[in-house]
Amino acid sequence: MNEDTALQIVSRAMGAVVDVVEIRDPADGSSQLAIRYVAGDARWISSRRFQDREQANIAGIAIADFSGAEYRA
């Protein structure tokens, strides 16, 4: 039996979204990718950074699946 967790229920009710965002270093202009979770006023950006967009997408999909949020590429 597959029951939703409290996190999944709340994420779906709030229309939570997971996506990949670009983080720029103002000192040198370099950029990396991170995972962002947004649900209402709550925002979270992963501390893990990615150079490869495909890896970031896979991580985002996994977090969306775990949290019950919608993944937007």
Side-chain angles (χ1 to χ4, degrees):
M1 187 171 187
N2 187 14
E3 293 184 23
D4 290 340
T5 65
L7 173 61
Q8 291 169 334
I9 293 167
V10 170
S11 289
R12 288 186 187 117
M14 294 182 72
V17 173
V18 172
D19 61 0
V20 175
V21 294
E22 186 174 18
I23 306 292
R24 289 203 176 270
D25 182 342
D28 64 9
S30 65
S31 66
Q32 296 180 319
L33 303 169
I35 309 305
R36 175 175 58 185
Y37 171 89
V38 179
D41 291 336
R43 299 205 180 343
W44 171 82
I45 295 182
S46 67
S47 58
R48 172 74 171 111
R49 300 295 188 254
F50 302 89
Q51 294 296 326
D52 184 302
R53 180 158 294 272
E54 188 172 321
Q55 289 180 344
N57 284 334
I58 291 167
I61 290 167
I63 291 172
D65 188 47
F66 173 77
S67 68
E70 175 187 347
Y71 181 71
R72 293 188 185 158

